[in-house]
Amino acid sequence: MPAKTGAEYIERLKRANNNVYIGGERVDDVTEHPAFKNVIQSMAKLYDMQYEKPEKMLYDSPTTGDKVGKTFMLPKTIDQLIERREAIMEWQSFTKGVMGRSPDYLNAEVMTMEAAYDFYGQDNPLFAENARKYAEYARENDISLTHTLIHPQVNRAKIQAEQKDANVALHVVEKNDDGVIVDGVRLLATQGGITDEIMVFPSTVKKAGEKDDPYSLAFAIPNNTPGLRYLSRESFDYGMNSYDHPLGSKFEEGDTIVAFDHVLVPWDRIFILENSTICNQAFAETNAVVHMTHQVVAKDIAKTEFLLGVVLTLMDSIGIDGFQHVKDKGTEVMLTLENMKSHLFRAEHNAKLDKWGMMTPDFEALNAARNWYPRVYPRLAEILRILGASGMMGIPSYDDFASDEIGPILHRAMQGKNVEGFERVQIFRLAWDLTMSAFGSRQTHYEYYFFGDPIKMGMAYFDQYDKEKYKDVVKDFLKQENITKPSAINSGMNV
């Protein structure tokens, strides 16, 4: 079947009737619930864009010939890699990079399963075939996915088997002819319950060993599978108009705790089972981490472009763009953007075919970008807040401007250098929603922890970095100086 439309995406959610809870109550229809309906409409727009720009967003399926989503495309050349990224950027041009789990993110993981399926067959050849078939199924049916990676934060100093309640985390309960029964809780599924299916990923932070094996698994199942429930945090879409909440009213994805109550996972949906070593290898060995990071860096570029646009528009609206310290802050954002673009360019143009036959970007460039951006994004948000100053708090609502009594007063009082009051406040509300509202605060938090704890990531980056060649440069330089060690030092050491 060809790529789906927005209407088909919504209809699938209605039919699925996923078990989603918010505010202590089960949601009857996520497509109509105020916490979810607006982001669902935004997701629907993404799927409609595939047909609005088919030359950019669709390609011929290698198995059926149907027009399917290009974000599933397995690149074999650098041109195809760039073509796939350009399809990603079409979606990011709509979301402005503020949807961390737009469909292209997990489509990158699925795409790698199409090529690297043999990796999953190390324990059982069935799992390799499962991975290959699932990649094809997801592509041909344009499956939308959420995913979950980590265990509940109970006692981070202990492995799961040594927790006071060792069964709280998702684990294998039993195996039977139909599949594997799993039970427990996983965190943290963004867009949980508003997609077709969930992928339970292998965590990359498990200590290899048999005690971790019951918690070491990877599979994919429909979101309406019996016993599967999504427990959503409170929504940051407050049902306000798009003037008051220009981003939160469209792109509030939601985050959920995922509860598995003796859920049956069929054998044909399992990719890894009770093997912590394979779990730890999965992302790196299949190059899933590379292709997913490729998507993330593209998203980060789109987000930084948008944030820079907001910074420049805000500057101009109140006439501060001529001040030295203001220009310097704008330059910080510009340098961030150009750095990210450079990382992406290097990654794509240094790409090579991997052992699975995928044209895979240069991970050195992408790894640097994914370690750097979480550290710098909070500063970008801070710059926007600093430039807005008190104006970020003096932001009347649409209803205030619509009031016959106070609207004219506000329209005059809130005017800027070259914009009227209503328009200037619209700019500042956008800046506020990007950085200071509940939605905006989540953006900063989400980016900081996008790939995990930045400190742990930095330690891993330091440990794997090729340091010897730089130390050798210094050693060679010092040798060339040919300086004789003073005799006083040698005699002193013999005392």
Side-chain angles (χ1 to χ4, degrees), residues 317-318 410-422 424:
S317 73
I318 55 174
L410 290 170
H411 191 52
R412 181 185 180 191
M414 295 292 105
Q415 65 183 294
K417 182 186 77 171
N418 54 11
V419 290
E420 296 183 339
F422 181 81
R424 189 189 74 78

Side-chain angles (χ1 to χ4, degrees), residues 207-235:
K207 297 178 182 178
E210 62 182 16
K211 287 185 177 181
D212 280 314
D213 285 346
Y215 308 94
S216 304
L217 62 169
F219 59 85
I221 54 176
N223 280 337
N224 62 354
T225 299
L228 179 59
R229 286 177 289 185
Y230 291 93
L231 317 178
S232 180
R233 62 160 169 78
E234 70 173 76
S235 175

